[in-house]
Amino acid sequence: MMKGIMKENEKRIQIFDIAKGLSIILMTIGRYDFIDIYPYLLQFQNVALFFRMPTFIFVSGYLFANRLDFKHFLFHKIDGLLKPLISFVISLTLLNIIFSGIVSDVVNFNQVFEHIKNMARSFYRGRFDEINVSFWFIGALFLGQLTLKGFLEIKELKKPLNYLMLLVFFLALYLLNTIKIRFYWTEYIPIFFTYLLLGYSFQKICTRFLDGTSFFYSKKMIVFPILFFISIFILNHWNIKINFSLGSRDYNYHYLLLVSLLGVFTVLYLCRYLEKVPILNSFLVYCSKASFFILAYHIFIKDAYIVLFDLKTYNPVLHTLLFFSNIILCCLIYRFLKRVPFVRIVFYPIKVITLNDTEIKLLKSKYINRFIPK
């Protein structure tokens, strides 16, 4: 009986991976120039803004594990988020050098040096928009998860110290949200912390009161898509401002947050049906695994497509094929690099790869071992 329940729970958890995969795909569509050609796609994107990024962050909060102490948690997140991000920055710089050499009639040292300067400038400024505008999301997720972990650590301190520290903590968040200093994604901390905390809190509520993940398969979930579409209709009908973009920080903690959460639960409701379609299920789960590779390389591939194809003339078949081929190419990069010894160490969290003896020796060396989570 217990084995049956465990298998059922393992299967049900897939809806979160499907939701993250769907979220990543929706994020990438907006980067294409052809989106303005298709009015219905543009209208859908305006609505999808409410849930495409929030879904990924909320689900990350829901799946947040609070087992490690802060030090080991920090190492774990550096290994899983910051290390791949730096690897993406370096690899994209090399790819841009190669690509500019292919498309240019004359290649000179200044062109190469300009890309290297651009990378160095990005690290100095704390922004990587010139290399890949999507990198902010990975960096903000890193800082958001550290902030959530810090909040949970403070909450467990003895009274009244915890109350004093929490007061300081939320005051710091308020100042960050007000000042919005653009340096290494700090301006996004309040937003990401909010969605991560909501996801984490809902996981606790589900476990205690709603019979765990089975809630997402209950008939009650139909309420969320109904309320979401009613909300969108009312906002449009009354001409209430519905600009919502976490990337541009068009965001508030009032009605837009509520509509956004309704959108997140609408996606999760949809995912229970997508789970029943084997090919689509597998594809979206794989996109979830390769999510950061999709964020990292989809713009570079899109730029290559611009050289080869016309993305500004109405051609839905071509544009659909190019978009999905882009996603598939990113997934193939994810699959290929995972098999390349030594290189994979800098692109993937250590826990998801099977290391050979030589790689283990390298990681156990004196100077590297101190930075690798045990």
Side-chain angles (χ1 to χ4, degrees):
M1 180 70 175
M2 285 299 292
K3 286 182 180 179
I5 293 172
M6 288 175 67
K7 283 183 180 179
E8 185 181 6
N9 287 337
E10 285 173 6
K11 180 183 176 184
R12 285 183 174 180
I13 206 71
Q14 277 193 339
I15 65 167
F16 302 119
D17 290 323
I18 292 169
K20 289 175 81 172
L22 188 60
S23 175
I24 287 295
I25 289 174
L26 292 175
M27 285 187 215
T28 60
I29 295 176
R31 301 297 180 196
Y32 276 83
D33 299 331
F34 60 65
I35 191 169
D36 295 331
I37 304 171
Y38 306 101
Y40 290 112
L41 179 58
L42 186 60
Q43 288 176 20
F44 172 75
Q45 277 293 98
N46 291 335
V47 175
L49 283 170
F50 279 103
F51 53 75
R52 63 183 190 185
M53 286 184 188
T55 296
F56 195 101
I57 309 168
F58 181 90
V59 170
S60 297
Y62 187 93
L63 300 175
F64 188 90
N66 192 29
R67 295 186 298 269
L68 302 173
D69 59 48
F70 191 86
K71 178 183 175 182
H72 288 93
F73 180 83
L74 175 61
F75 285 152
H76 179 71
K77 291 303 168 185
I78 289 173
D79 182 50
L81 291 171
L82 218 52
K83 181 189 71 178
L85 177 57
I86 294 170
S87 303
F88 292 144
V89 170
I90 296 170
S91 64
L92 271 174
T93 300
L94 292 173
L95 285 172
N96 283 323
I97 290 171
I98 295 168
F99 184 69
S100 63
I102 293 171
V103 299
S104 300
D105 295 330
V106 180
V107 182
N108 55 55
F109 177 75
N110 287 335
Q111 283 180 318
V112 175
F113 189 61
E114 189 59 35
H115 286 290
I116 296 172
K117 276 202 310 183
N118 189 37
M119 181 177 68
R121 200 182 300 122
S122 297
F123 280 106
Y124 174 74
R125 292 177 178 174
R127 298 194 303 273
F128 298 90
D129 294 355
E130 293 179 22
I131 297 174
N132 185 325
V133 73
S134 297
F135 281 157
W136 73 268
F137 185 83
I138 303 175
L141 185 62
F142 170 75
L143 292 180
Q145 290 191 342
L146 287 187
T147 306
L148 176 59
K149 179 63 179 176
F151 168 78
L152 296 175
E153 292 284 310
I154 292 171
K155 199 164 66 72
E156 296 302 318
L157 295 175
K158 292 182 179 179
K159 299 177 182 178
L161 180 61
N162 61 342
Y163 292 122
L164 179 62
M165 293 294 289
L166 285 173
L167 179 64
V168 173
F169 176 85
F170 283 109
L171 180 61
L173 283 183
Y174 175 78
L175 290 174
L176 278 176
N177 190 59
T178 305
I179 300 171
K180 292 185 167 72
I181 300 171
R182 292 201 68 193
F183 185 74
Y184 278 108
W185 322 290
T186 50
E187 69 270 29
Y188 296 108
I189 289 176
I191 298 171
F192 275 65
F193 171 75
T194 299
Y195 280 101
L196 288 166
L197 180 61
L198 287 169
Y200 179 80
S201 301
F202 191 76
Q203 189 272 336
K204 295 298 180 186
I205 292 170
C206 272
T207 303
R208 189 166 181 180
F209 302 109
L210 302 175
D211 198 22
T213 55
S214 61
F215 169 78
F216 295 99
Y217 292 81
S218 66
K219 294 180 180 179
K220 298 174 186 176
M221 282 289 290
I222 189 64
V223 172
F224 295 106
I226 292 172
L227 290 177
F228 177 68
F229 289 113
I230 289 174
S231 300
I232 295 297
F233 174 79
I234 291 173
L235 291 173
N236 278 302
H237 184 70
W238 288 351
N239 293 319
I240 298 174
K241 180 183 176 183
I242 59 171
N243 291 336
F244 185 93
S245 174
L246 297 189
S248 303
R249 296 176 301 283
D250 294 329
Y251 170 85
N252 65 38
Y253 291 91
H254 308 302
Y255 62 91
L256 291 183
L257 175 60
L258 177 60
V259 177
S260 173
L261 288 174
L262 291 175
V264 170
F265 280 94
T266 299
V267 172
L268 291 170
Y269 175 78
L270 174 64
C271 289
R272 64 196 246 180
Y273 297 103
L274 298 179
E275 186 184 31
K276 297 176 182 178
V277 184
I279 295 176
L280 197 54
N281 180 347
S282 301
F283 175 69
L284 290 173
V285 169
Y286 205 84
C287 286
S288 172
K289 293 177 182 177
S291 56
F292 295 139
F293 282 77
I294 294 172
L295 284 179
Y297 295 116
H298 78 278
I299 293 179
F300 175 81
I301 295 171
K302 181 212 73 173
D303 291 342
Y305 283 164
I306 290 174
V307 176
L308 300 170
F309 303 98
D310 182 5
L311 297 184
K312 295 185 178 180
T313 304
Y314 184 86
N315 193 336
V317 175
L318 174 64
H319 294 162
T320 302
L321 288 173
L322 291 178
F323 173 74
F324 281 104
S325 67
N326 190 335
I327 300 295
I328 292 168
L329 281 171
C330 291
C331 290
L332 289 174
I333 293 170
Y334 166 81
R335 185 180 179 87
F336 170 73
L337 287 180
K338 202 171 184 180
R339 299 182 178 185
V340 181
F342 299 105
V343 173
R344 59 189 175 183
I345 293 174
V346 296
F347 280 96
Y348 302 83
I350 299 297
K351 67 178 183 179
V352 303
I353 52 180
T354 305
L355 302 169
N356 60 38
D357 292 338
T358 314
E359 288 171 321
I360 292 171
K361 275 185 183 178
L362 174 67
L363 294 178
K364 284 186 175 181
S365 63
K366 180 180 177 182
Y367 297 104
I368 295 179
N369 187 46
R370 68 180 66 180
F371 300 106
I372 303 297
K374 288 182 173 56

